[in-house]
Amino acid sequence: MTDLFAPLQSLKQGDWFKLICGASFQHLPAVRSLTLAYTLAGADCIDVAADPAVISAAQAGLQVAKSLAKDAQKRGFDYKGNSPFLMVSLNDGEDPHFRKAEFNPTQCPTNCPRPCERICPAQAIVFNSIKEDFSGVISEKCYGCGRCIPVCPYDIIYTSSYMSTPGAIAPLVMSTGVDAVEIHTKVGRLAEFEQLWQAISPWADQLKLLAISCPDGEGMTDYLRALYELVAPLKSALIWQTDGRSMSGDIGDGTTIAAVKLGQKVLAAKLPGYVQLAGGTNSYTVAKLKAMGLLKKTEGQGAGGRGEEFFPLLPAPCSPTSIAGVAYGSYARVLLSPILEQLENKEVSNTNVKATVRLEEDDVLLWQAVELAHSLVSQIKKSQQER
């Protein structure tokens, strides 16, 4: 097994970990720092917005991680310098992952308690920010969770959605370092999915992985079967991402139940490929999977029953019987938010020097961030070793 396909080995073993930076999250310093910390902690995949600047920020984080591999090993982390897959997220229609909150701050009464500012997990809503010289939604930080909308006392917050542009997809897929594509879809959008897939398919052979993310809905399993017929045969691995409760993992332990239930439903459909949880995942997810016997038992063969020497080039051809991995979005990002906030505060204090403070430039914060990230990554990695 070469280093190039180490993430696929994790899928095969059932201890795959994916970091979701956010399909709409475009705060470049945070993307770079999150990528760096979670890569050093042992993540298998980094999922980012299909934006060239965001992709570049993630690639920068991956490069720094490689240079710190020996330091990570000395500190007891398992990172060996293997790069996780870099994935970009696309959508075939309106989707909460592909939207931004907006409002006109001049319409806010001065006596408003501003619950939107307090509830925002991304700290994307600010009023009279000294650093930003701005009030309103910091667009690049907003990832579309929508929690600010129902709490606004004056109902002035709304969202703007956007679509993936087929013409812009090809160069992203072909760009150096992009290993995987995830398509966000919904039941009933077969024609829209097909149009998007046709834009990608000429370059699909270059991908190591295709992920399809779909929330629950009436007729979901039949819809997923139809999608499989559209994309098959594939040279890459295929993941069915079960979007249980979008962007909610940081709310509480109960959110993981929706992700697990949807994972069970997709497993029962016996679709070829791997099943990976998302949407509401948090620190309770792996324990829940383990208690329910949904994690893979250690076996000599992979999910497809093929010899290991062929595995890197092939998807899992047989239907899986266990969850192959977990993706973490809002929970993973919020977990590191105290570290990222300290970095931002350092930038504010350096008013005479406009240079950005990078995570690797502060040794203490760097390894605190990696330790926090590892506390999440290690849950599924250690769980696999215990099986």
Side-chain angles (χ1 to χ4, degrees):
M1 180 67 62
T2 65
D3 289 351
L4 180 64
F5 295 102
L8 291 182
Q9 179 70 2
S10 294
L11 266 181
K12 176 185 176 182
Q13 293 171 171
D15 64 353
W16 163 271
F17 180 103
K18 184 174 86 168
L19 167 69
I20 303 173
C21 285
S24 295
F25 191 60
Q26 296 164 301
H27 188 48
L28 303 184
V31 169
R32 188 182 188 280
S33 295
L34 287 165
T35 299
L36 172 56
Y38 277 97
T39 297
L40 289 173
D44 297 295
C45 183
I46 309 294
D47 183 1
V48 301
D51 176 319
V54 174
I55 293 170
S56 180
Q59 288 172 333
L62 294 174
Q63 284 302 115
V64 174
K66 276 185 173 293
S67 71
L68 294 171
K70 289 184 179 178
D71 287 347
Q73 291 166 28
K74 288 178 182 177
R75 292 171 180 270
F77 300 108
D78 294 330
Y79 177 66
K80 302 294 191 300
N82 304 328
S83 287
F85 286 169
L86 185 56
M87 173 184 284
V88 294
S89 284
L90 308 169
N91 59 323
D92 63 8
E94 189 159 332
D95 186 285
H97 296 88
F98 298 81
R99 67 181 183 180
K100 301 279 190 182
E102 295 182 15
F103 68 92
N104 183 349
T106 63
Q107 296 178 352
C108 297
T110 56
N111 62 346
C112 178
R114 298 171 179 170
C116 59
E117 186 178 22
R118 294 195 304 273
I119 203 171
C120 179
Q123 298 178 315
I125 298 177
V126 297
F127 291 90
N128 304 314
S129 166
I130 297 174
K131 182 187 174 185
E132 312 288 346
D133 189 24
F134 173 79
S135 291
V137 179
I138 304 172
S139 180
E140 63 268 24
K141 287 188 175 183
C142 177
Y143 57 82
C145 71
R147 296 178 207 175
C148 56
I149 298 172
V151 302
C152 176
Y154 301 97
D155 197 27
I156 64 171
I157 303 177
Y158 59 97
T159 59
S160 293
S161 300
Y162 61 93
M163 285 280 296
S164 302
T165 306
I169 292 168
L172 285 172
V173 172
M174 295 173 68
S175 67
T176 303
V178 174
D179 307 290
V181 165
E182 179 168 282
I183 300 177
H184 289 255
T185 188
K186 286 184 180 179
V187 177
R189 292 212 297 239
L190 188 62
E192 292 87 345
F193 182 98
E194 183 174 14
Q195 182 181 8
L196 184 57
W197 179 245
Q198 285 175 350
I200 301 170
S201 57
W203 298 277
D205 288 354
Q206 297 182 25
L207 299 174
K208 301 180 183 73
L209 175 67
L210 171 68
I212 298 175
S213 179
C214 186
D216 201 1
E218 187 176 352
M220 184 195 70
T221 53
D222 289 337
Y223 180 63
L224 296 185
R225 289 190 186 98
L227 295 183
Y228 181 75
E229 292 300 317
L230 270 179
V231 302
L234 279 174
K235 289 187 178 180
S236 65
L238 174 64
I239 284 179
W240 301 104
Q241 177 167 289
T242 61
D243 193 4
R245 185 175 167 187
S246 298
M247 299 174 283
S248 66
D250 59 309
I251 294 176
D253 59 334
T255 62
T256 201
I257 296 173
V260 173
K261 284 185 175 179
L262 189 53
Q264 288 179 296
K265 184 174 181 177
V266 176
L267 282 175
K270 301 186 180 301
L271 294 159
Y274 296 96
V275 178
Q276 171 227 279
L277 303 190
T281 53
N282 51 38
S283 62
Y284 298 91
T285 304
V286 170
K288 186 75 172 175
L289 289 172
K290 192 173 181 181
M292 297 177 69
L294 291 173
L295 292 175
K296 182 178 173 63
K297 301 288 192 297
T298 303
E299 300 170 359
Q301 296 285 336
R306 300 293 185 94
E308 183 165 314
E309 67 273 20
F310 296 109
F311 174 79
L313 299 179
L314 293 172
C318 299
S319 56
T321 57
S322 56
I323 299 298
V326 182
Y328 300 84
S330 57
Y331 183 83
R333 297 191 298 269
V334 170
L335 186 64
L336 263 61
S337 62
I339 304 294
L340 303 187
E341 187 176 355
Q342 286 185 64
L343 280 179
E344 287 203 27
N345 289 338
K346 282 196 166 197
E347 294 174 35
V348 173
S349 66
N350 294 335
T351 53
N352 295 325
V353 181
K354 296 298 184 183
T356 300
V357 178
R358 292 175 171 173
L359 183 58
E360 69 272 17
E361 294 170 352
D362 189 313
D363 203 54
V364 173
L365 289 182
L366 168 65
W367 296 110
Q368 284 180 356
V370 177
E371 187 66 49
L372 283 170
H374 187 259
S375 71
L376 187 58
V377 176
S378 63
Q379 289 184 13
I380 194 163
K381 298 296 183 183
K382 288 182 178 177
S383 182
Q384 196 278 336
Q385 293 168 7
E386 293 167 358
R387 281 170 248 157

